[in-house]
Amino acid sequence: RHRARAADGQYRWVLLRGLTREAGHWGRFPALLAERLGPGHQVLALDLPGNGSRYHERSPASVAGLLHAVRRQVAPGRPVVV
């Protein structure tokens, strides 16, 4: 099991929905998960390019492109362990 803390000392949990879904489909789950995990954990529900709040952006054509988009949202300019 590998766990890595972000530069701010928190563990980040990134929730992604399937293709053509948006972060809003998670409902209250991110807040409930964050509450259950407790201090030191941050839960992020992201929209991928081309979906949800990012509908106007072009969707990446590869898994590598999707991973790059996630990394840019989670920690712009900083390394991310995925």
Side-chain angles (χ1 to χ4, degrees):
R1 180 174 173 182
H2 179 75
R3 294 180 3 160
R5 285 188 190 263
D8 60 8
Q10 292 201 344
Y11 291 107
R12 289 203 172 79
W13 298 76
V14 178
L15 306 178
L16 299 173
R17 289 293 299 200
L19 296 176
T20 73
R21 297 289 188 176
E22 64 180 53
H25 282 96
W26 285 106
R28 287 190 21 82
F29 181 73
L32 295 171
L33 179 59
E35 182 180 312
R36 177 75 172 151
L37 292 170
H41 295 268
Q42 180 183 25
V43 178
L44 304 170
L46 304 180
D47 282 331
L48 296 173
N51 297 285
S53 64
R54 300 180 69 189
Y55 72 91
H56 59 281
E57 297 177 36
R58 186 176 183 168
S59 295
S62 67
V63 172
L66 290 170
L67 181 58
H68 180 70
V70 168
R71 285 182 170 148
R72 282 194 343 245
Q73 286 185 77
V74 172
R78 295 192 314 257
V80 176
V81 176
V82 179

